[in-house]
Amino acid sequence: MATEKSAVFIIFGGSGDLAHRKLYPALYRLFKAGMLKDHFAVIGTARRPWSNEYFRQTVITSLEDFDDDKRMMENFAMHFYYQSHDVNDSDHYIALKQLASKLDDRFDTEHNRVYYMAIAPRFFGTVAAHIKSEGLKTDGYNRLVIEKPFGRDLNSACDLNDALSKAFTEEEIYRIDHYLGKKMVQEIPNLRKKNPKFDEILNNKYVSNIQVTLGESLGVEDRGGYYETAGALRDMVQNHIMQILGVVAMDEPDVMDAKSIHDIKEKLFASLKDLTPDEVSKKFVRGQYDTDEMGKLNPYRKEDKVEEDSNIETFAAGKIEFDNERWSNVPFYVRSGKRMPKKSSRIDIVFNEKVADLGIRANTIVTLFIEPDEGSSILINGIDYREVKQNLIKYPEDPEIFDNAREAYESLIIDILAGDKANFTLWEELKSTWKYIDVIRKQWDEESPKFPNYLSNTMGPDTADTLLEKDGNSWIWN
Ligand code: NAD
């Protein structure tokens, strides 16, 4: 059985989409696994004046995908409480503190607190400041969980971090990048460790290039308002793609603990090869989707809450390089786009001819599939295709529950409860990646792109192909 954990969760934005779609189902799985059992409570806070009963009904509704005994869901929901709350009202924090303290006694939660920011980013600083000023922090642990986006450039990220640091130590802050919660991404360090030969050839002697694609088939759907303030570079490259690069490209730590992993990742991001403004157009390209071939789908500019002349990119691709011993001269090609032909997150590692010296076929390609497929494949000389379907991670404590259906959010909540920060983003890493991304963003903001420039259901603009062709390379997934 899983080890039971104790905590009061305070979910700011408890009536919202993230809470209902991701957090409550994830908590429910932990409940079923026995990791959350008798000693936990969840306070949902939001502006609406909901009762506990109504809130619990919404929680049960969020579990509709589970084909479970209603009683189990009701037992779970009995741990949920609702507190109507305005983020700017100090009195509300005092009420929240009293309720949390009462639940501490009722559920014997050892005064542990998880403060979860499932709320708009503009409120993160205010909420953190009030948690401190109104004395919500306890003598148990106090862990602050922050959703993306963490700033929109280096300056705003620094401001946000300064604000949070006044109330929480870096040790107490858990910045979510849900790609770090995905099974296959978490498996990469294990794959490397378990296969020393693979790790041995992961360097500039044997690797021709590495490609990371986070492709989505959907458009912006109903998130046009948010997307207009973000774009693919901020929404996907600065955080998810950079963090995946971190896991693939980092040196192997001597010990697999959070501190060693972060020390090594921090060093890696500090070695990102500087990008000058005039290199941006040579190394990065952007795109915006048009309708599809049949003219049926909306172009981005016709989507709800999107400006008719919007220059926001729905596709970004680039060539990222590191200036370090292991990776200098190896291009890391990255891309992320909406309305690509299918959803696929994958990493393609293309080896050169020198691997033949080690008895491996020249130009072998190893692909790591992150989602929706999970596993890896090896493509040798374009002919011999061997697929290795893996049953990747099993949670030793409860294999049945934690097998394939385990979701990124569950895995990350388990880490938060265990105080394990290996799969969260630290501030120094973020600082380096924002600094890098800012150069691109600034340059792009100064130039008017010719948008739209790719049809829906295609692989993005032609310039994304040219980017690799200039180096004599091509995208493996095409
Ligand atoms: P949402 O709009 O569905 O929910 C926002 C919540 O904040 C609601 O509960 C609302 O009542 C509450 N709220 C708004 N103003 C408030 C105020 N003044 N005082 C107190 N509560 C207030 O948003 P969401 O999609 O759930 O996103 C929440 C956060 O998670 C955002 O930071 C978002 O960027 C991030 N995020 C969401 C997703 C997702 O899948 N929805 C994915 C990644 C990150």
Side-chain angles (χ1 to χ4, degrees), residues 12-19 21-22 45-48 85-88 117-124 147-149 178 223 226 409:
F12 295 92
S15 66
D17 175 68
L18 179 80
R21 238 166 17 88
K22 299 285 183 189
T45 79
R47 274 179 309 184
R48 296 173 200 182
H85 175 91
D86 189 299
V87 290
N88 292 307
M117 302 276 194
I119 202 164
R122 65 180 184 283
F123 297 136
F124 293 167
E147 275 293 339
K148 79 169 195 185
H178 69 276
R223 303 194 72 215
Y226 159 72
Y409 273 92

Side-chain angles (χ1 to χ4, degrees), residues 361-365 378-386 476:
R361 287 277 195 95
N363 310 320
T364 289
I365 298 164
I378 303 174
L379 183 68
I380 302 169
N381 281 1
I383 309 163
D384 182 7
Y385 186 76
R386 190 151 55 90
I476 303 303

Side-chain angles (χ1 to χ4, degrees), residues 74-171:
E74 279 163 5
N75 287 344
F76 171 69
M78 287 314 285
H79 289 258
F80 282 66
Y81 294 78
Y82 187 79
Q83 178 78 50
S84 141
H85 175 91
D86 189 299
V87 290
N88 292 307
D89 189 331
S90 298
D91 289 346
H92 288 185
Y93 291 87
I94 292 166
L96 208 50
K97 177 181 169 175
Q98 287 163 350
L99 176 60
S101 165
K102 209 161 81 186
L103 297 177
D104 249 340
D105 293 341
R106 186 169 305 163
F107 294 101
D108 193 12
T109 52
E110 300 174 6
H111 304 172
N112 292 330
R113 297 275 190 279
V114 176
Y115 307 94
Y116 203 118
M117 302 276 194
I119 202 164
R122 65 180 184 283
F123 297 136
F124 293 167
T126 312
V127 173
H130 280 90
I131 289 173
K132 167 117 196 244
S133 65
E134 305 316 319
L136 269 76
K137 288 180 83 178
T138 63
D139 57 0
Y141 65 63
N142 291 271
R143 295 177 183 153
L144 178 73
V145 187
I146 297 279
E147 275 293 339
K148 79 169 195 185
F150 198 96
R152 57 189 326 274
D153 52 23
L154 180 60
N155 276 340
S156 57
C158 284
D159 290 347
L160 172 58
N161 204 56
D162 288 347
L164 299 180
S165 308
K166 291 193 177 104
F168 289 87
T169 63
E170 176 69 12
E171 199 46 46

Side-chain angles (χ1 to χ4, degrees), residues 376-423:
S376 57
S377 74
I378 303 174
L379 183 68
I380 302 169
N381 281 1
I383 309 163
D384 182 7
Y385 186 76
R386 190 151 55 90
E387 193 168 9
V388 189
K389 274 278 173 216
Q390 296 171 345
N391 205 357
L392 290 169
I393 297 177
K394 281 206 171 179
Y395 247 70
E397 292 157 321
D398 198 335
E400 273 189 9
I401 303 245
F402 284 105
D403 197 10
N404 289 332
R406 195 161 62 92
E407 255 260 2
Y409 273 92
E410 268 162 80
S411 154
L412 294 173
I413 293 172
I414 292 170
D415 288 346
I416 293 162
L417 290 168
D420 181 352
K421 294 194 65 176
N423 296 315

Side-chain angles (χ1 to χ4, degrees), residues 245-262:
L245 284 190
V247 178
V248 177
M250 69 178 180
D251 285 337
E252 199 190 311
D254 295 334
V255 197
M256 276 293 177
D257 63 11
K259 181 172 181 334
S260 314
I261 291 173
H262 285 299

Side-chain angles (χ1 to χ4, degrees), residues 165-182:
S165 308
K166 291 193 177 104
F168 289 87
T169 63
E170 176 69 12
E171 199 46 46
E172 291 173 323
I173 301 175
Y174 289 70
R175 297 181 194 82
I176 296 252
D177 187 310
H178 69 276
Y179 274 83
L180 292 180
K182 291 190 188 288

